[in-house]
Amino acid sequence: MKLESLAESLRDYLGATRKHSIKNIVNIFDEKGTNPSFGEDAAIIEMGDEALLLAADGIWDRLMRADPEWSGYCAILVNVHDIAAMGGRALGMVDIFSSSSPELSEKVLKGMKAGVEKLGVPIVGGHIHPDTPYTAVDVAILGRVKKDSIIYSSKAKPGDDVVLGIDLDGRVHPSCDMNWDSTFLKEASIVRHQINSMVELGETHLLTAGKDVSNPGILGTLGMILEVSGVGAEVELDTIPKPASLEWDRWLKMYPGMGFIVTCKPENTARVIEVFGNHKLNASRIGKILPGAHLDIVRGGERATVFDFTKHNITGLRPVKGCNQ
């Protein structure tokens, strides 16, 4: 696939475009654009030298229809990732479960239990709708973090390197071809060790920004960092870790079971890659942060713009007004 066609395909991918409505919702609650929690993976509630991290995530109905058990598992996985992405340790979760089907309920709850056992974060309460005409699961999670160790997604700066840490030891999930499953079949101790890579990176203050790779894929997630940081980036396509069996267009759209994209000062890049490696993640410097509003991919002498944030949106969020970064 030519680079320009790849860029257009990634820009139009549903995993990214379905986030367009975020700006409209945020504007209702934060008309002046001054709340630093909006645009982050979790809300930040300061408590002295520490902060509580509060997040919530729901499961895409497309995934629920394809595999209810896998949906339940992912409901746990994605929430724990949201806390880890900000350098935090998850404490507990509550859920809202809607279903009138005993068969579907059993499958979803079986998946959620597997996620709790894998990740070691308990469900401590919740709410059930037992008479809905649909099946849905939504989870909220609470975590904690040292205030000086919070990893924001909004603080990438021109001159920073972009590093991807991701687990290539996985499989395309049998029932969800846009999910790279690298956690379900692994021992819990390995999965938890991988997640704690972000805790170490936060507490050692090696990063300027970071997020967990989510439904918009690797470059879509980087794009969300760029939006809220008010910067651009250049990514060298062939430096992105990738399973040999997958083409670029598919891999760059997939939700990986375990992946984080971060930015750091160049003098810290080798150490960041080392930390990811020590936590059994494949890591590489894949690009650099630039002034401006473009996310470009390059390969050889070829260049293409995936997002021009003067024309394109993912979340549509911009740097927080009045926030000293």
Side-chain angles (χ1 to χ4, degrees):
M1 178 181 285
K2 291 185 177 180
L3 218 56
E4 189 60 51
S5 298
L6 175 61
E8 182 178 359
S9 178
L10 296 175
R11 184 167 56 249
D12 294 339
Y13 175 50
L14 183 59
T17 60
R18 68 192 297 267
K19 291 189 177 288
H20 288 349
S21 62
I22 289 177
K23 178 182 178 181
N24 299 332
I25 296 168
V26 168
N27 285 345
I28 297 295
F29 297 103
D30 186 33
E31 295 179 54
K32 297 182 179 179
T34 56
N35 187 329
S37 288
F38 289 121
E40 299 297 339
D41 288 292
I44 302 157
I45 304 168
E46 295 186 5
M47 294 185 64
D49 293 335
E50 290 192 323
L52 294 177
L53 299 173
L54 181 62
D57 215 325
I59 292 301
W60 200 350
D61 70 318
R62 175 180 291 187
L63 184 59
M64 182 66 78
R65 292 194 303 269
D67 191 329
E69 183 175 342
W70 179 239
S71 295
Y73 179 83
C74 287
I76 305 301
L77 181 67
V78 298
N79 273 277
V80 174
H81 270 84
D82 280 345
I83 299 300
M86 298 190 68
R89 301 176 189 271
L91 299 174
M93 298 172 285
V94 296
D95 69 289
I96 299 176
F97 184 52
S98 305
S99 180
S100 58
S101 167
E103 181 182 1
L104 283 176
S105 296
E106 183 178 355
K107 291 178 180 178
V108 173
L109 294 172
K110 181 180 178 182
M112 292 177 71
K113 183 180 180 183
V116 166
E117 292 173 347
K118 181 78 67 175
L119 298 161
V121 184
I123 291 280
V124 295
H127 180 77
I128 186 166
H129 293 293
D131 49 9
T132 57
Y134 56 87
T135 298
V137 61
D138 303 282
V139 173
I141 188 167
L142 185 68
R144 66 190 301 176
V145 64
K146 297 175 183 178
K147 197 158 63 174
D148 67 354
S149 301
I150 298 173
I151 301 168
Y152 293 87
S153 62
S154 56
K155 296 194 175 185
K157 296 287 193 302
D160 289 348
D161 281 344
V162 180
V163 175
L164 175 68
I166 200 164
D167 190 359
L168 299 185
D169 179 22
R171 59 174 183 166
V172 177
H173 192 274
S175 61
C176 305
D177 64 0
M178 295 308 291
N179 281 192
W180 179 254
D181 171 24
S182 61
T183 67
F184 190 79
L185 300 178
K186 279 196 175 71
E187 293 181 8
S189 59
I190 296 175
V191 175
R192 297 179 196 185
H193 186 56
Q194 291 176 321
I195 286 174
N196 282 335
S197 61
M198 291 297 281
V199 176
E200 182 175 340
L201 289 171
E203 292 182 350
T204 52
H205 307 123
L206 290 171
L207 305 182
T208 52
K211 288 184 84 69
D212 64 306
V213 180
S214 57
N215 275 332
I218 292 168
L219 295 182
T221 301
L222 174 59
M224 291 192 289
I225 292 176
L226 304 181
E227 279 185 303
V228 295
S229 297
V231 293
E234 176 184 279
V235 170
E236 301 159 32
L237 186 65
D238 290 333
T239 64
I240 298 175
K242 180 180 76 67
S245 60
L246 297 179
E247 298 297 325
W248 281 115
D249 186 59
R250 190 177 180 193
W251 175 240
L252 292 175
K253 293 175 181 175
M254 294 191 86
Y255 169 73
M258 186 70 64
F260 301 97
I261 193 156
V262 302
T263 64
C264 61
K265 295 179 180 178
E267 58 265 32
N268 292 330
T269 300
R271 178 63 181 138
V272 171
I273 292 172
E274 181 183 9
V275 170
F276 277 137
N278 290 342
H279 287 264
K280 300 185 182 297
L281 292 172
N282 304 90
S284 176
R285 176 195 177 276
I286 65 169
K288 59 186 176 181
I289 300 295
L290 301 172
H294 287 203
L295 171 52
D296 289 354
I297 48 176
V298 297
R299 181 174 55 194
E302 198 178 358
R303 174 183 296 270
T305 296
V306 181
F307 298 103
D308 173 355
F309 293 110
T310 66
K311 299 187 296 186
H312 309 132
N313 288 325
I314 304 174
T315 66
L317 302 180
R318 297 293 183 259
V320 173
K321 297 175 184 176
C323 180
N324 182 12
Q325 296 188 26

